[in-house]
Amino acid sequence: MMRELACDVAVIGAGTAGLAARRAAASAGARTVLIERGPGGTTCARVGCMPSKLLIAAGAAAHAARNTDLFGIRVSGVSVDGPAVLARVRAERDRFVGGVLEGVDALPEDGRIAGSARFADGGTLLVGEDARIRFRAAIIATGSSPIVPDPLRGLGARVLTTDSLFEMPDLPPSLAVLGAGAVGIEIAQAMARLGVAVTVIDAGKTVAGLREPDLARQAAAIFGAELDLHLGARLRAAVPEGDGVRLDWTDRHGRAQVTRARRVLAAAGRSPNLDDLDLAAAGLRPGENGVPDFDHRTLVCPGAPILIAGDADAWRPVLHEASRQGRIAGANAAALAAGRPVQAVTPWTRLAMVFTHPQAAAIGAPYAPEAGDRLIGAMDFSDQGRARVEGHNRGGIRVWADRDGRLLGGEMLGPGVEHLAHRLADAVADGLTARDAVERPIYHPTVEEGLKTAMSNIVQSTSKC
C-alpha cells in the first residue's frame, strides 16, 4: 500500500544545504519532511573538506620534518607509515560524520523518510515505490557527485574519486591526478609529500584556480617542483596495465606522452545529483548542465513552488555557501507554503580557497584583464618579513579596485592566505576603499602586513588620478 504524506515543505537531501533548509523552514513554522537517500553525513565531512584536510595535514607534517635544515635543525630517518596515515584520516573523518548523523537522528521520526525521491508533478513527490508526499513547496538539496571522464570509465578500482580515495588501506606507490583545480592540486601535493610519485594532467592553463598571470605562473612553478605537473595537456586514452593504469595523453605542444601509475584520481569537478528527480514532471526545464533555471537571490525555480540550494545548483559549491543557501531556501519555501512573498537576499562576496602550501584564494570580482578601469595593487612574499621568518616566503598578492579605490576583489598565493582572504572579503563586502582598509590596525610582524602593502599601492595610484 502506498504511504501518503502531506507537508508544507519537502526537503530532498540531508547534506549541508538540506539540513540548513529543514531547520530554517521548521523555524518559520512550516511542517517539514526531510528525504534522505544516503549515505548521509554531508559531502564536506564524509568525502570533501575534512578528510582532504586530514591528508594535507599529514603531508605537511612529513614535508616539515624533511625540511628543517633552513633553521639549523637536522632531522634524519623520516618515514611515512601509509596505513597509519589513512587510518587517522578515516578515524577523524568518521568522528566528523558521526556528529552530523547524530544531529539527523535527533530529528522527529515523523519528519524524516529514507529513499530516493522523484517528482510526480509540481506538487507531489514519490519516494521509492511505497510513499507519496504532497507538498506546498519543495527544496532540491541533493548535492553532487564526482565526475569520471569517459576515458576512465571501465577501469574499476584503479580509478579513484574523493568517494573512494580515503578508503584505501595504504598509499599507492604512484598516482596520476586528472585536474589541477582545488581538489586535484590539494590531493596531489599531499600525496607527493607522503612519498607517492604523482603526475598531474590538466587541459587548462592554470593551477589552483588562479587567473592572474603572474600568480598563476608562480603557482605552476611552485607545485611543479614537488610533483610532475602538466598544464594544457589532454587525456586521449586510459587502459589497464598490470595492477595499474596506462594513460596516453598529449602535452601542450601536441606531443604524445605516456604515464603509468598504480591508481588514477578523477578530480575534474563534480556534477549535481539531479538525473533521478524527473524535473520535467514538475514543470522544470534543466539547462545545459542539468540544473533548472533559478533566481540566485531567492533560489526559487520559475514555474513551480520549488527551490534549489547547495551543490545541487552548481553555483558556488562550497560549504559556507551551501549552508547559507539552505537557510535562504528554507525560509522562502516556508513563505511560499504560507502564501507569503519570498525574500531576495544579496549574494555574499565570492570566496574560494585552496589549502595547498602555499595556500591560494580568489576573492570578490574575478581577474579581468579587459577591465582597463581597474587599479591593481601587488606585493611579493619573497621579502615579506614574517614570511621570511617562517621560511614560507613564496607567492604574492594582487588586489583590484575601481578608479575611486573601492576594493573589488583579488587573488592570493602564499602563507596565511586562508586568513588574509577573509580580511579582504570583509573589506569588499563592507564597500571599503583601499585607503579605508589601510587605516585599520595591523600588528607587526604578521603576513597581514603584506596585504596592507598591496592595498597601499592602490592608495598611491588613486592619489595620482
Side-chain angles (χ1 to χ4, degrees):
M1 177 179 292
M2 182 71 72
R3 179 184 177 192
E4 300 284 346
L5 298 171
C7 64
D8 295 321
V9 176
V11 180
I12 312 169
T16 298
L19 292 173
R22 191 220 68 86
R23 193 161 46 244
S27 295
R31 294 172 300 150
T32 63
V33 171
L34 181 69
I35 306 165
E36 171 56 73
R37 182 171 63 178
T42 77
T43 296
C44 173
R46 185 179 291 279
V47 298
C49 317
M50 304 313 290
S52 65
K53 301 312 165 287
L54 286 159
L55 192 70
I56 290 168
H63 183 75
R66 296 190 194 99
N67 291 274
T68 59
D69 285 3
L70 175 67
F71 306 101
I73 310 298
R74 313 301 178 204
V75 175
S76 60
V78 177
S79 62
V80 174
D81 183 338
V85 167
L86 291 166
R88 178 178 186 264
V89 168
R90 285 190 290 274
E92 289 296 319
R93 183 272 313 274
D94 292 347
R95 181 174 176 273
F96 295 125
V97 171
V100 175
L101 295 179
E102 285 178 6
V104 174
D105 290 342
L107 298 176
E109 288 192 13
D110 60 358
R112 291 187 285 141
I113 185 170
S116 183
R118 66 188 188 279
F119 288 100
D121 54 47
T124 309
L125 281 165
L126 300 176
V127 181
E129 300 301 326
D130 55 3
R132 178 185 288 110
I133 301 175
R134 301 192 184 281
F135 60 82
R136 294 179 181 274
I139 299 169
I140 300 170
T142 46
S144 62
S145 297
I147 296 171
V148 178
D150 289 340
L152 301 185
R153 298 182 185 277
L155 293 178
R158 292 177 174 84
V159 177
L160 301 171
T161 68
T162 51
D163 286 354
S164 58
L165 172 71
F166 307 110
E167 304 306 321
M168 293 188 300
D170 197 358
L171 298 171
S174 55
L175 178 70
V177 178
L178 297 188
V183 173
I185 200 64
E186 283 183 354
I187 298 299
Q189 186 188 52
M191 286 289 192
R193 291 182 166 193
L194 291 168
V196 178
V198 177
T199 300
V200 177
I201 300 170
D202 193 295
K205 298 180 180 180
T206 63
V207 61
L210 294 169
R211 298 185 183 181
E212 197 280 328
D214 187 57
L215 293 185
R217 283 192 292 270
Q218 289 190 58
I222 290 169
F223 299 126
E226 293 192 51
L227 46 87
D228 193 17
L229 175 64
H230 299 278
L231 301 176
R234 296 188 178 279
L235 180 65
R236 298 304 182 190
V239 296
E241 188 174 88
D243 56 359
V245 178
R246 169 183 164 139
L247 302 177
D248 293 291
W249 52 282
T250 55
D251 64 19
R252 61 190 179 91
H253 302 292
R255 297 174 301 205
Q257 304 288 344
V258 173
T259 292
R260 291 176 171 85
R262 183 67 58 84
R263 294 290 181 266
V264 55
L265 172 66
R270 299 179 68 89
S271 177
N273 296 327
L274 300 171
D275 290 347
D276 299 333
L277 290 175
D278 197 356
L279 298 177
L284 303 181
R285 294 184 178 180
E288 291 184 3
N289 60 353
V291 177
D293 183 34
F294 70 98
D295 186 320
H296 289 70
R297 292 164 60 88
T298 66
L299 304 180
V300 175
C301 300
I306 297 173
L307 303 89
I308 189 166
D311 287 9
D313 66 29
W315 182 60
R316 299 186 175 182
V318 290
L319 184 138
H320 68 277
E321 291 282 2
S323 181
R324 190 191 194 213
Q325 288 182 27
R327 296 193 300 271
I328 295 168
N332 280 341
L336 283 176
R340 301 191 305 269
V342 298
Q343 298 296 310
V345 180
T346 300
W348 270 339
T349 299
R350 183 179 67 107
L351 180 59
M353 205 88 67
V354 183
F355 292 90
T356 45
H357 296 93
Q359 296 176 338
I363 307 97
Y367 175 73
E370 70 280 2
D373 59 343
R374 287 185 178 180
L375 302 174
I376 298 180
M379 69 80 57
D380 192 306
F381 275 113
S382 62
D383 203 34
Q384 202 276 328
R386 181 60 182 273
R388 290 193 66 87
V389 167
E390 303 292 338
H392 295 156
N393 49 319
R394 301 183 297 176
I397 295 174
R398 303 293 182 271
V399 179
W400 30 90
D402 64 19
R403 284 293 173 180
D404 294 325
R406 184 175 62 86
L407 295 168
L408 302 175
E411 289 187 356
M412 304 178 181
L413 175 72
V417 158
E418 63 183 290
H419 307 298
L420 300 179
H422 282 94
R423 190 175 183 108
L424 179 56
D426 286 344
V428 172
D430 291 343
L432 299 186
T433 65
R435 188 178 299 279
D436 294 331
V438 164
E439 291 178 353
R440 303 291 171 89
I442 294 181
Y443 209 83
H444 173 77
T446 62
V447 292
E448 280 75 7
E449 290 175 302
L451 180 57
K452 181 177 181 178
T453 297
M455 292 191 290
S456 294
N457 290 339
I458 294 176
V459 173
Q460 293 172 7
S461 297
T462 55
S463 298
K464 298 175 183 177
C465 292

